[in-house]
Amino acid sequence: MKDQLIDTFFSEGAILFGRFVLTSGKESDYYINVKKLSTNPKALRLIARLMAKKVKELGIEFDRIAGPELGAVPIATALSLETGKPLVVVRKKPKGHGTGSQIEGEVKPGERILLVEDVTTTGGSVLKAAEVLERAGAEIVAISVVVDREEGAGERIEERYRFISLVTVSELFARRDSAEMKK
Ligand SMILES: O=P(O)(O)OC[C@H]1O[C@H](OP(=O)(O)OP(=O)(O)O)[C@H](O)[C@@H]1O
Ligand SMILES: O=C(O)c1cc(=O)[nH]c(=O)[nH]1
């Protein structure tokens, strides 16, 4: 399943090369567009199945799944359907009208949350979401990401939480290099 996911990144054109400014302000000569996969039902199902399998194998128990706006929302939703566990969505900022809420869905005090992310670079975005959930009384049992760019997020997140990645950029680029060698 993991190899299938890696292949899907290439077949869906989800790895772009050029100059990109990242959310952290860093610059990069490549960009992983996980949204290309999370908007494709077959690829999204594969991500959800792989994530559910990995979490189960590691014996991680949780009551609820959380997905921070925006990239993680379809992934967390698919994982909720796959596992039958309820969902919460964490906004980047509290809603400016209506409920004024930053969390959509209910977090009960002491609930064990599996926090999902699409891609991690510095880990700053997902750590902000973790803070919002903890302020609401949740316990973050693990942070699970589809792709880790290996630019410090793992080390930063692991200071406080269990960190799981489905694939790393090294694994993605190793596959590209081995495919090119075979040509
Ligand atoms: O680990 P970090 O350095 O925080 O970078 C990764 C974050 O950047 C992207 O989000 P983006 O801000 O582009 O928002 P979007 O998901 O709303 O498109 C991605 O979805 C992660 O949330
Ligand atoms: O750090 C980011 O903002 C980022 C990097 C990346 O490769 N893909 C993405 O969606 N966001």
Side-chain angles (χ1 to χ4, degrees):
M1 267 210 285
K2 180 168 169 171
D3 283 350
Q4 199 185 339
L5 178 64
I6 292 174
D7 289 342
T8 309
F9 272 97
F10 292 99
S11 63
E12 292 301 311
I15 305 173
L16 308 170
F17 296 94
R19 287 212 66 70
F20 299 94
V21 177
L22 307 182
T23 199
S24 53
K26 279 178 131 183
E27 289 194 11
S28 175
D29 53 10
Y30 73 92
Y31 195 80
I32 314 289
N33 191 2
V34 182
K35 292 179 185 86
K36 278 261 187 185
L37 270 59
S38 62
T39 52
N40 170 322
K42 210 172 152 196
L44 180 60
R45 192 177 297 120
L46 178 63
I47 289 172
R49 286 191 178 153
L50 256 173
M51 212 174 256
K53 186 170 172 270
K54 195 145 188 182
V55 164
K56 195 172 178 189
E57 279 168 4
L58 291 169
I60 294 167
E61 294 192 354
F62 57 97
D63 306 305
R64 193 175 289 271
I65 295 160
E69 178 193 357
L70 187 141
V73 173
I75 297 162
T77 307
L79 189 61
S80 170
L81 290 167
E82 179 68 25
T83 59
K85 299 286 185 187
L87 176 71
V88 283
V89 173
V90 185
R91 293 180 184 273
K92 285 193 168 97
K93 288 192 178 128
K95 192 170 159 135
H97 58 280
T99 58
S101 179
Q102 191 165 1
I103 299 175
E104 298 298 346
E106 198 189 351
V107 173
K108 297 189 184 120
E111 249 183 348
R112 298 165 302 174
I113 291 206
L114 172 65
L115 178 53
V116 170
E117 180 62 298
D118 61 342
V119 50
T120 44
T121 304
T122 64
S125 308
V126 77
L127 284 169
K128 267 192 210 157
E131 211 180 295
V132 171
L133 291 162
E134 283 181 339
R135 266 192 264 125
E139 180 201 345
I140 310 297
V141 290
I143 293 179
S144 178
V145 64
V146 180
V147 185
D148 179 36
R149 291 179 49 117
E150 300 171 294
E151 289 183 47
E155 292 79 358
R156 210 173 149 196
I157 291 170
E158 276 166 357
E159 283 174 16
R160 295 202 51 198
Y161 307 104
R162 195 154 182 190
F163 181 60
I164 306 158
S165 64
L166 295 188
V167 291
T168 61
V169 276
S170 315
E171 289 169 325
L172 287 175
F173 292 151
R175 175 59 62 92
R176 177 197 58 180
D177 296 343
S178 79
E180 272 168 12
M181 294 255 296
K182 281 182 201 148
K183 277 183 195 167

